[in-house]
């Protein structure tokens, strides 16, 4: 299957490139429309129906007409001179609010895109009076806009409404302030806009610069970005289309995460192909470029397929999660990675076949073999001192893992701590009213015996809630139209996104509701604080199930791939230690050093899947190469030295690119923890686990690491493109680094099977022999 795909693509490269170009043009254009139909922003919608807050949310939608897609903005209106509002002022506020409620807000559009592909979010907002401060210093208005806060169209509508309301109230002698989830998202996005653009540009520059330094080529620097952009656009469109067909809803942040993941792994996969393609052309300069592309793509395609399927399998376990945000993320990532895999086996080989040797223009490195560099010396060090290198790597990982002591989960929504206008307005409101006034905790009561509800019937429940410590104020009971449901809004003194508010909603408030709910009725507690309290329960359950299932599935894939019992165990222990070290480092930095309430509740699961699944890619690459080298004559430690030497450039560069792509998440508000942890985890996986810990263990265990099917050394184990040359006589004037001399007979010229990298070349070639004991000979 793999050989058929790569072979067809290299035989018909221009047709393959054209097909992907058409798919990319169509799906990239349709993606905004499709994503707008399948994304949702309400966290409560991702909870199973059995949770209390999810039941409250259904009652709010069915009995009180609450729009599940609505985003509420709280508008503060006050006099510009700071004096208390007079009755005339309040009448003026009501009149201006009525005008705003009748005015349709048109979504601003950009002139640089096809307008018919962009969903129109123009709408007439719902504006209603909310509350007046006890000292009459301001009045609050509640504004509802339909759409996800992450939707750029909805953000544009909010900006237009905000500017119009500010100008309108200014003409009436009033000042305004805006707060709430949508307002805070827009203000934070605007504050980080420059940083996001600079961060994205820096990652692109990093990728291009690394490619230029390594390959010294224009095409090799730019084609990876172009190919990954096209495949990534197709993948996002495929994810949105799949979600639409299956009826699944995606979290608003999922598309951005998919883009980052695909950028990283797509560049990685193309780098693996480029390194092997260059070595094939060096080894066989007479071979046609298309034939070389076909051979390399078929060979590397096996490793790429194994790595991609590991990621797919790991994220497939999220289908077992109860929390819908996880359950939708898993299939989305899996579909995106499968599309990237298809592109890696078709579009990327086609680009190699079409470009041929021009892929590395204007570099002249194809004309000669590179000299030994740092990678060779590093491989010798790991193989010569495996116990010391193993001890050092474990000590580093254990020190970072020690940060897990006292870890806490933070279930609050993203809070960057930025001093935005929305945050300043929230602080001003909290000085006069309970902190939860802009986002109340609501108790929904429904009749179960068919009788009508009344405020008198619910007075006992209302008084009991007033007496709960931490509830600053209780609003009057509101009945729906048929008086079969009621809503009691509570305004806690703690911020609705804080741990105190969640503890209050899940503890004393629910206890009071359970004790004082009238007979013949049922009651449920809803609101942001209650939702995240239930999310904490759902996530805790999911972590206990998904972690072991994902680990077992990855171990099974490694078992089938490596055909060994001991090697997969070694790799799983390595990635487990890497995961603990990464999470510990994130806890140490954000919770202990920066004083955050804890680490984001999504971080452990997402980090486990990404670091374990993506980090396993590098472990697969080094393990497969170690096994290949151990099939050749000579000591096992010599084989480890060669494997590290050959794979260090590819793994190092791939790790830098993938870590850099995850680093761009730092410019996304609220994603700083994920960006830090992902980048650190990938670097630990690439540089510590794959290049030090796993090879050191292999050097210590020798060929026994492949038990029970240990590879037996043979005299003629080589890749298809390798050259077999007669073994030269001994070179007494050239000392060997370590290991016994090779046996007489045909010897594999390992120079033709190296993932060499110009970044690691140093002036002067070390005289003597290769780590295998083979003398260095001129071609």
């Amino acid at each position: 299957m793999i050989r058929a795909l790569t072979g067809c693509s290299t035989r018909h490269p221009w047709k393959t490139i054209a097909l992907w170009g058409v798919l990319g043009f169509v799906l990239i254009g349709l993606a905004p429309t499709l994503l707008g139909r399948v994304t949702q922003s309400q966290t409560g919608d991702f909870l199973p129906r059995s949770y209390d807050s999810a039941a409250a949310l259904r009652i709010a939608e069915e009995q009180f007409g609450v729009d599940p897609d609505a985003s509420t903005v709280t508008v503060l209106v006050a006099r510009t001179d700071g004096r208390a509002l007079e009755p005339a002022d309040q009448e003026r506020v009501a009149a201006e609010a009525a005008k705003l409620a009748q005015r349709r807000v048109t979504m601003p559009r950009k002139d640089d895109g096809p307008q018919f592909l962009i969903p129109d979010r123009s709408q007439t907002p719902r504006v209603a009076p909310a509350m007046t401060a006890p000292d009459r210093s301001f009045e609050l208005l509640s504004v509802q806009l339909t759409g996800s806060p992450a939707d750029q169209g909805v953000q544009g509508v909010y900006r237009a409404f905000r500017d119009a309301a500010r100008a309108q109230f200014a003409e009436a002698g009033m000042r305004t302030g805006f707060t709430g989830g949508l307002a805070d998202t827009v203000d934070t996005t605007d504050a980080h806009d420059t940083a996001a653009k600079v961060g994205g540009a820096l990652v692109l520059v990093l990728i291009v610069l690394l490619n230029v330094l390594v390959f010294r080529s224009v095409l090799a620097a730019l084609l990876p970005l172009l190919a990954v952009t096209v495949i990534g656009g197709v993948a996002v469109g495929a994810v949105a289309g799949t979600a639409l067909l299956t009826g699944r809803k995606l979290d608003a942040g999922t598309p951005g995460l998919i883009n980052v993941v695909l950028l990283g792994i797509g560049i990685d996969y193309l780098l693996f192909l480029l390194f092997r393609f260059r070595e094939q052309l060096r080894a066989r300069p007479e071979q046609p470029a298309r034939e070389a592309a076909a051979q390399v793509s078929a060979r590397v395609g096996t490793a790429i397929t194994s790595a991609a399927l590991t990621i797919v399998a790991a994220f497939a376990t999220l289908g077992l999660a109860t929390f819908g945000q996880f359950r939708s993320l898993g299939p989305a990532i899996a579909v995106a990675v499968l599309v990237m895999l298809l592109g890696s086996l078709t579009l990327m080989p086609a680009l190699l076949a079409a470009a041929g040797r021009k892929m590395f223009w204007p570099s002249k490195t194809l004309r000669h073999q590179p000299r030994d560099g740092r990678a060779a010396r590093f491989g010798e060090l790991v193989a010569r001192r495996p116990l010391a290198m193993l001890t050092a790597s474990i000590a580093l990982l254990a020190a970072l893992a020690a940060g897990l002591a006292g870890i806490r989960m933070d279930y609050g929504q993203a809070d960057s701590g930025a001093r935005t206008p929305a945050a300043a307005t929230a602080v001003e409101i909290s000085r006069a009213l309970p902190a939860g006034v802009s986002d109340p905790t609501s108790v929904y009561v429904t009749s179960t015996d068919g009788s009508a509800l009344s405020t008198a019937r619910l007075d006992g429940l209302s008084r009991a809630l007033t007496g709960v410590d931490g509830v600053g104020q209780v609003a009057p009971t509101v009945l729906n139209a048929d008086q079969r449901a009621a809503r009691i809004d509570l305004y806690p003194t703690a911020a609705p996104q804080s741990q105190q508010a969640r503890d209050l909603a899940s503890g004393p408030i629910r206890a009071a509701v359970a004790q004082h709910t009238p007979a013949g009725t049922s009651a449920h507690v809803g609101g942001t604080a209650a939702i995240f309290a239930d999310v904490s329960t759902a996530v805790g359950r999911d972590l206990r199930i998904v972690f072991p299932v994902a680990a077992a599935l990855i171990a099974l894939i490694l078992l089938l791939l490596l055909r060994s019992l001991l090697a997969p165990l070694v790799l799983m222990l390595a990635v487990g230690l890497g995961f603990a070290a990464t999470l510990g480092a994130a806890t140490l930095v954000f919770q202990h050093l920066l004083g955050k309430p804890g680490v984001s509740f999504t971080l452990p699961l997402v980090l486990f899947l990404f670091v374990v699944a993506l980090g396993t890619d590098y472990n697969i690459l080094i393990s497969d190469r170690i096994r290949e080298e151990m099939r050749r004559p000579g000591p096992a430690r010599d084989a480890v030295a060669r494997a590290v030497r050959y794979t260090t450039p590819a793994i190092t560069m791939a790790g830098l690119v993938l870590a850099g792509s995850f680093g761009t998440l730092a410019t996304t508000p609220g994603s700083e923890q994920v960006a830090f942890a992902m980048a650190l985890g990938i670097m630990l996986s690439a540089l510590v686990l794959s290049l030090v810990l796993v090879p050191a263990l292999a050097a210590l265990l020798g060929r026994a690491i492949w038990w029970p099917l240990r590879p037996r050394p043979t005299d003629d184990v080589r890749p298809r493109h390798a050259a077999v040359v007669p073994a030269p006589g001994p070179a007494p004037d050239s000392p060997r680094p370590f290991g016994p001399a090779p046996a007489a007979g045909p010897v594999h010229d390992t120079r033709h099977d190296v993932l060499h990298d110009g970044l690691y070349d140093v002036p002067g070639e070390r005289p003597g022999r290769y780590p295998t004991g083979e003398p260095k000979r001129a071609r």
Side-chain angles (χ1 to χ4, degrees), residues 578-626:
F579 164 73
T582 306
L583 186 57
T587 305
L588 182 65
V589 170
F590 291 98
Q591 180 178 313
H592 298 307
L593 295 183
L594 299 181
K596 299 292 184 182
V599 297
S600 173
F601 72 97
T602 60
L603 184 62
L605 183 57
V606 175
L607 184 63
F608 175 81
L609 293 172
F610 276 106
V611 170
V612 171
L614 296 179
T616 301
D617 287 6
Y618 307 130
N619 288 335
I620 288 174
L621 184 64
I622 186 67
S623 299
D624 189 61
R625 192 55 183 257
I626 289 174

Side-chain angles (χ1 to χ4, degrees), residues 243-497:
L244 187 65
L245 292 175
T246 59
R248 288 183 176 270
K249 291 292 185 179
L250 302 178
D251 179 67
T254 297
L257 184 59
I258 289 176
N259 287 330
V260 171
V261 172
L262 293 183
L263 174 65
I265 66 173
I267 295 293
D268 281 4
Y269 294 163
L270 187 51
L271 285 176
F272 296 154
L273 285 168
L274 283 174
F275 273 109
R276 287 287 188 173
F277 186 53
R278 185 176 66 176
E279 293 307 318
Q280 180 80 357
L281 296 179
R282 280 174 175 169
R284 299 186 59 183
E286 78 287 352
Q287 185 179 29
R290 289 194 180 185
E291 180 181 331
Q295 290 183 5
V296 167
S297 300
R299 181 177 181 184
V300 179
T302 302
I304 290 176
T305 301
S306 301
L309 292 181
T310 300
I311 301 174
V312 171
F315 278 91
T317 61
L318 287 179
L320 301 175
T322 58
F323 185 41
Q325 192 171 346
F326 290 160
R327 201 168 56 249
S328 66
L329 176 66
I333 295 289
V335 169
V337 172
L338 286 175
V339 174
M340 180 56 70
L341 173 60
L342 181 61
S344 301
L345 298 178
T346 54
L347 177 59
M348 293 181 183
L351 291 174
L352 296 182
R357 287 174 171 81
K358 294 180 181 178
M359 175 69 75
F360 303 103
W361 179 87
S363 173
K364 299 179 180 180
T365 57
L366 293 181
R367 301 178 183 177
H368 59 81
Q369 293 292 338
R371 295 170 291 189
D372 285 353
R374 296 185 182 93
R377 293 196 293 273
F378 180 70
E380 294 177 10
L381 176 63
V382 172
R384 187 172 60 249
R385 300 183 180 275
L387 185 59
M389 299 297 287
L390 178 64
T391 302
S393 60
I394 291 179
L396 171 62
L397 297 173
L400 295 176
L404 288 171
I407 185 175
R408 296 188 301 270
M409 295 295 107
D410 179 17
Y411 294 90
Q413 291 173 304
D415 182 11
S416 62
R419 297 180 179 275
T420 61
T425 300
V427 170
E428 182 179 356
I429 293 174
S430 66
R431 294 193 187 105
L433 291 169
V437 70
S438 61
D439 192 355
T441 296
S442 300
V443 177
Y444 291 91
V445 183
T446 56
S447 174
T448 58
D449 59 5
S451 62
L453 299 178
S454 64
T455 56
R457 186 178 178 184
L458 300 176
D459 277 346
L461 175 60
S462 182
R463 287 194 300 271
L465 293 172
T466 303
V468 173
D469 187 23
V471 175
Q473 189 174 339
V474 177
T477 301
V478 177
L479 301 175
N480 72 336
D482 62 3
Q483 297 186 351
R484 293 295 189 274
R487 186 188 73 235
I488 305 175
D489 290 332
L490 315 178
Y491 305 120
T493 56
Q497 298 174 7

